[in-house]
Amino acid sequence: MEKYWSRWRFPGIFYLAILLAGVSCSQSHRLAPLSSSTIPGSASRCAAPFVTESWQFIHSIEAKLAMGGSSSVIGVTNVYPERKVVHCVIMTLEGFVLFDATYDQEIHVDRKVPPFESEAFAEGLMKDITLIFFKPSGEITGSAMSENGSITCRYEMDNETVEDVRVHPDKSWDIHQYEDKHLKRSVSTGLDRPPGMKNNSFIPSELELTAYGEYGYSLRLRLIEARRLTKNKHLAETQSRRELQK
Amino acid sequence: MGSRRPLNRLFEIAAVCLISSVFLGWSGDLEKFSEKAKTVRSLSADFVQEKHLRILVQPLVSKGLFYFNKPGSLRWEYREPVGSILLMHNGEIRQFLKGKNGYREDNGPGIQGMQVVMGEISLWLSGNFRDNPDFEATVLDERMIVLIPKAPSLSKFISKIELLPSDRPGVIQSVAIYEGDDSFTIIRFENVRVNEDLQESLFTKK
């Protein structure tokens, strides 16, 4: 019976956890030069993909691994952009919670089921979520407009990280994140928006996050539900977490 | 058994609870369950699953269909919000997930846990609650069966399971699986059919 538990025979979820824990840099995707001038209005257009209020998103997440195989889970993500706070739960389709953590200046993990117990996994997950939902923390150091009207803004952070945010005229968008001038992650969306949310660029029906490199992976997120959160929800969560910590 | 990964054990136990719970006939007496279970050849039902979590504004509701044929054929199918089908037949277990281009086979954690479920199901179907190595079964107020994990390694993931039988013999109304105080799953069975003839293809084709 023990043979059935071999990670080599059923690698999906184990690889998912391991690979999300550490992503190596790509050797082939290098940061391209961008004009240091700033196009008027670019800052507001490039901010469109990101949340400005607190939201709850529920996605089905399909993980495709560079070495083959795939696995699916459900992710619940509460984002509070005012303080850049994230609360994230990953569970199986059957509803069992695999991982429950909050990022509020630091990561606090409430629940972690092996193989999701590593600190590196939690850090990597929060980086993915931050990249998708929050406007980059750095300053815009350049922008460009393509012939088809797509606008790209380059944000440079203090830690050798650069993020290019590109917003297309049809309101689809993509993000490319570089570290040491090498592409590390990208996020892209399609055109579809959920019913009643056509004007919300930051709520696409589908998202795809790709991590590059030898141990790369791809996460396809399909939106199940999106709800705006009240301030009380955040306070209730914070209070509940403090009580749990006592 | 002791060396199994906790995640695998979690799914194994969950699957066993979900499957076996539908078989119970309720008379307030735990010992009579085994007799009831022996009369069941097949089961099918609709189910509504509610996931309650501290983080959720509202419970996450999933709906699906359930089929079981003795001795060990199962189809556990979610129709929404994410389509997935778990099939068990002749000791072979497969899981399929619905995507844009139809169903594809999945290598997720559910399939890992289900590989060893069948042996456990046999134990439960024989009504051996008292002998179950994983749970201590008690009856609460003559209306609910409460299962408490015996092993600390299991109780880290499931604090208790509550089975609520219906008035109809052989049918259970709901099962509640508690992971913690603010995380639990309730599955309500509806339109339960007992001992209908089920096509083998239900358990072999997505």
Side-chain angles (χ1 to χ4, degrees), chain A:
Chain A
M1 202 177 275
E2 192 61 29
K3 67 182 179 183
Y4 292 118
W5 308 114
S6 161
R7 72 174 60 182
W8 308 115
R9 184 164 176 167
F10 301 106
I13 206 70
F14 297 99
Y15 285 161
L16 172 63
I18 292 164
L19 295 178
L20 295 187
V23 182
S24 65
C25 292
S26 163
Q27 298 300 311
S28 56
H29 301 79
R30 292 184 65 88
L31 184 64
L34 193 69
S35 165
S36 59
S37 61
T38 303
I39 294 170
S42 58
S44 60
R45 283 185 63 183
C46 289
F50 306 107
V51 294
T52 54
E53 296 175 282
S54 301
W55 281 83
Q56 175 167 102
F57 300 102
I58 304 178
H59 291 96
S60 69
I61 304 172
E62 179 189 346
K64 287 185 178 173
L65 312 173
M67 59 192 72
S70 65
S71 186
S72 291
V73 291
I74 287 178
V76 183
T77 312
N78 286 6
V79 289
Y80 304 93
E82 199 174 319
R83 291 183 53 211
K84 282 210 166 184
V85 172
V86 172
H87 183 181
C88 173
V89 169
I90 295 174
M91 58 185 160
T92 67
L93 300 181
E94 293 81 8
F96 279 95
V97 175
L98 305 169
F99 183 81
D100 182 345
T102 304
Y103 175 75
D104 185 358
Q105 318 299 325
E106 60 184 23
I107 298 171
H108 176 81
V109 180
D110 283 332
R111 184 182 177 89
K112 49 188 178 183
V113 172
F116 293 90
E117 74 273 48
S118 77
E119 281 184 29
F121 169 75
E123 286 171 8
L125 183 67
M126 293 304 169
K127 277 185 182 176
D128 286 348
I129 292 170
T130 301
L131 179 67
I132 292 170
F133 294 109
F134 291 149
K135 194 171 81 128
S137 57
E139 297 295 318
I140 294 182
T141 58
S143 61
M145 185 177 282
S146 69
E147 285 181 3
N148 69 0
S150 299
I151 195 159
T152 302
C153 298
R154 174 159 294 168
Y155 297 80
E156 292 192 25
M157 272 56 80
D158 296 334
N159 55 355
E160 299 291 319
T161 300
V162 172
E163 288 176 19
D164 282 352
V165 177
R166 186 169 52 171
V167 180
H168 304 288
D170 60 10
K171 293 187 178 175
S172 63
W173 48 267
D174 53 65
I175 304 169
H176 291 79
Q177 184 186 62
Y178 300 85
E179 285 184 13
D180 294 329
K181 298 185 177 178
H182 290 87
L183 183 61
K184 185 137 182 174
R185 287 176 170 87
S186 69
V187 182
S188 62
T189 72
L191 301 176
D192 289 347
R193 299 290 180 274
M197 297 182 180
K198 299 291 181 195
N199 294 322
N200 291 334
S201 290
F202 58 90
I203 311 181
S205 297
E206 282 197 15
L207 280 164
E208 183 151 349
L209 183 145
T210 304
Y212 297 91
E214 187 181 356
Y215 301 109
Y217 59 86
S218 168
L219 304 178
R220 176 163 291 179
L221 286 74
R222 292 191 180 90
L223 187 69
I224 294 173
E225 213 171 272
R227 289 179 190 276
R228 186 180 276 114
L229 295 172
T230 63
K231 203 165 189 176
N232 288 340
K233 177 66 180 168
H234 186 197
L235 290 172
E237 280 206 53
T238 306
Q239 181 66 25
S240 176
R241 195 168 66 253
R242 284 181 183 146
E243 285 172 4
L244 283 172
Q245 286 174 294
K246 281 179 186 173

